Amino acid sequence: MNRKIFVTGATSGIGLECARAFAQDGDNVLIAGRRADRLAAIKEDFEQQYGIRVDTLVLDVSKREDVDAKVKPAIEAFGGIDVLVNNAGLAQGLDPFQDSTVEDAVTMINTNVLGLLYVTKAVLPFMIDKNEGHIVNMGSTAGIYAYPGGAVYCATKAAVKMLADGIRMDTIATDIKVTTIQPGIVETPFSEVRFHGDAERAASVYAGIDAVQPQDVADVVLYVTNQPKRMQITDVTIMANQQAAGFMVHKK
Ligand SMILES: NC(=O)c1ccc[n+]([C@@H]2O[C@H](COP(=O)([O-])OP(=O)(O)OC[C@H]3O[C@@H](n4cnc5c(N)ncnc54)[C@H](OP(=O)(O)O)[C@@H]3O)[C@@H](O)[C@H]2O)c1
């Protein structure tokens, strides 16, 4: 399709598969994350496999000065932007709120809410100048249904949804589209990050569930960005067949 797609958190999981889906579709991708080695390896792989252009950006979305200094020049060098996938995000811990640390809460808020806000602020002027573009935010079913031990993470994902809805209103006079994707449990390194590297505990989250895969979410992201200009898909919720609400799952 030869569009220009910017994916944050493209070094792993859902973001990596979104970048791949766009690359397979013939779009050029600007991929961002903190891990430079992974970005370099993905660039080489995608350029070879899909014959598209891949630009990389080592970026910590939670650091405003990093975003302010790097995003605008990266988009200029890339030649513009058609789609932003605001995917970078994480959960930290699953302890009851009263036992959780303020440090974990601050990391989640700084990454999932402020990081998304900084990146969107840096990207929107390019879309407003062109009077078109598509912002796809990675929310979560956690933004719809709270669950025990998830108070702060759920609050950040509810904020992602509300930011999307508000920005859609504020840009209504333009042809910019805004979408929130709200996946349930998806099998990625997300749980290992949440449990601070405890792989065994992370694996238990997906045990007994035919979990949604990151490629499934990427297919939906590609679909919502491939609709006619007249149509905007505002929200999509995706769950495993064995999930019915936040952490309500039936394990086989
Ligand atoms: N897996 C699920 O069950 C699930 C469900 C609903 C929603 N989500 C959401 O989906 C998104 C992707 O998660 P995932 O499941 O794919 O997990 P993942 O495999 O751990 O990927 C997270 C990505 O975010 C990036 N990231 C984290 N902190 C960052 C920061 N400060 N600056 C820049 N990039 C950062 C990571 O890259 P670096 O480490 O290289 O920076 C990585 O590429 C998140 O927003 C998550 O909340 C996940």
Side-chain angles (χ1 to χ4, degrees):
M1 292 264 293
N2 206 26
R3 294 174 300 184
K4 298 182 181 72
I5 319 287
F6 178 22
V7 183
T8 67
T11 55
S12 170
I14 296 169
L16 172 58
E17 294 311 319
C18 285
R20 190 193 310 279
F22 284 111
Q24 277 171 336
D25 201 43
D27 293 318
N28 300 311
V29 291
L30 167 59
I31 54 173
R34 290 165 302 178
R35 287 171 287 183
D37 53 338
R38 288 208 181 203
L39 291 170
I42 295 162
K43 174 181 166 69
E44 199 185 327
D45 178 25
F46 282 10
E47 284 183 342
Q48 249 177 30
Q49 276 204 66
Y50 310 121
I52 46 98
R53 171 175 171 175
V54 181
D55 283 18
T56 61
L57 183 62
V58 178
L59 181 73
D60 185 337
V61 297
S62 70
K63 297 208 163 85
R64 183 177 172 184
E65 53 296 350
D66 216 26
V67 176
D68 285 350
K70 292 178 179 173
V71 171
K72 187 167 179 261
I75 292 173
E76 281 165 353
F78 194 46
I81 180 161
D82 297 306
V83 178
L84 164 65
V85 183
N86 264 325
N87 165 79
L90 80 178
Q92 296 276 269
L94 194 60
D95 291 327
F97 180 77
Q98 57 274 29
D99 302 328
S100 66
T101 68
V102 171
E103 287 73 21
D104 279 351
V106 167
T107 301
M108 288 187 273
I109 292 165
N110 282 348
T111 308
N112 301 356
V113 183
L114 289 176
L116 180 141
L117 181 150
Y118 302 146
V119 171
T120 307
K121 275 276 199 190
V123 167
L124 250 182
F126 289 94
M127 294 184 173
I128 287 170
D129 269 1
K130 271 200 336 181
N131 188 41
E132 69 180 345
H134 196 154
I135 299 169
V136 180
N137 286 349
M138 203 51 66
S140 171
T141 50
I144 311 171
Y145 315 100
Y147 56 80
V152 176
Y153 178 68
C154 294
T156 66
K157 289 302 180 178
V160 167
K161 153 81 175 147
M162 286 300 137
L163 277 167
D165 289 351
I167 292 167
R168 189 180 309 107
M169 291 171 185
D170 291 341
T171 57
I172 193 168
T174 72
D175 288 339
I176 295 167
K177 301 180 186 183
V178 187
T179 300
T180 307
I181 307 288
Q182 304 191 105
I185 296 172
V186 184
E187 194 167 2
T188 70
F190 175 84
S191 295
E192 209 170 318
V193 172
R194 162 169 257 171
F195 299 132
H196 302 287
D198 183 340
E200 204 174 313
R201 191 172 175 203
S204 73
V205 172
Y206 310 107
I209 313 173
D210 189 4
V212 171
Q213 298 299 305
Q215 297 87 337
D216 302 328
V217 179
D219 286 347
V220 173
V221 171
L222 189 65
Y223 177 82
V224 302
T225 64
N226 274 337
Q227 298 310 306
K229 192 169 176 177
R230 63 178 177 272
M231 185 176 112
Q232 170 175 225
I233 297 176
T234 60
D235 303 86
V236 183
T237 303
I238 307 160
M239 288 194 221
N241 206 352
Q242 292 164 260
Q243 181 173 3
F247 251 36
M248 187 191 172
V249 291
H250 176 72
K251 297 216 174 204
K252 288 195 172 146

